[in-house]
Amino acid sequence: MSEQSNPGDAVKERVDTKKQHPTLFKVVLLNDDYTTMDFVIQVLESVFQKSPAEAYRIMMQVHQNGRGIAGVYPWELAETKADTVRSLATEAGFPLRATIEEA
Ligand code: TYC
């Protein structure tokens, strides 16, 4: 009785056509009124391996437009980088935050 099949089985065994988990995620830096520009540049250089010129460019993009992409990474690394931004900022007394989004 336990291995008995029923007519619905074939229907339940559909091929999974759902969208796969995306491979890459954007780490998006958010603007605020209190974090210093220098600190944001420092974070972009140390956490996201940006050159000083690129770090300045991204910081200004966030400052002027409210948000900017700090980098694109596999999910776990993106999460870790966003967490690192939060803990460095908290330690320094700034509200700087990063979120992650599907790339
Ligand atoms: N808006 C901040 C200021 O004027 C600078 C800033 C830039 C803060 C980027 C956060 O992600 C940020 N001091």
Side-chain angles (χ1 to χ4, degrees):
M1 180 66 174
S2 63
E3 293 304 314
Q4 190 179 9
S5 69
N6 65 62
D9 284 354
V11 178
K12 287 172 196 160
E13 277 179 37
R14 63 174 173 72
V15 175
D16 192 353
T17 53
K18 274 196 296 190
K19 194 177 160 200
Q20 294 294 306
H21 220 52
T23 316
L24 296 176
F25 288 78
K26 295 179 278 199
V27 179
V28 179
L29 218 50
L30 303 175
N31 191 35
D32 66 74
D33 292 338
Y34 305 102
T35 306
T36 63
M37 292 181 171
D38 279 352
F39 184 80
V40 177
I41 291 169
Q42 203 181 296
V43 165
L44 284 161
E45 290 180 23
S46 65
V47 179
F48 299 95
Q49 278 80 51
K50 302 300 181 189
S51 67
E54 182 67 355
Y56 179 80
R57 189 193 66 76
I58 295 168
M59 182 282 295
M60 284 307 291
Q61 152 75 24
V62 179
H63 177 65
Q64 289 168 347
N65 299 322
R67 42 181 281 143
I69 299 168
V72 177
Y73 306 93
W75 182 80
E76 191 142 345
L77 190 50
E79 281 278 324
T80 303
K81 299 233 180 221
D83 282 353
T84 302
V85 169
R86 176 187 283 265
S87 69
L88 287 174
T90 301
E91 203 177 333
F94 293 128
L96 179 66
R97 293 294 180 267
T99 60
I100 72 169
E101 294 179 4
E102 290 183 17

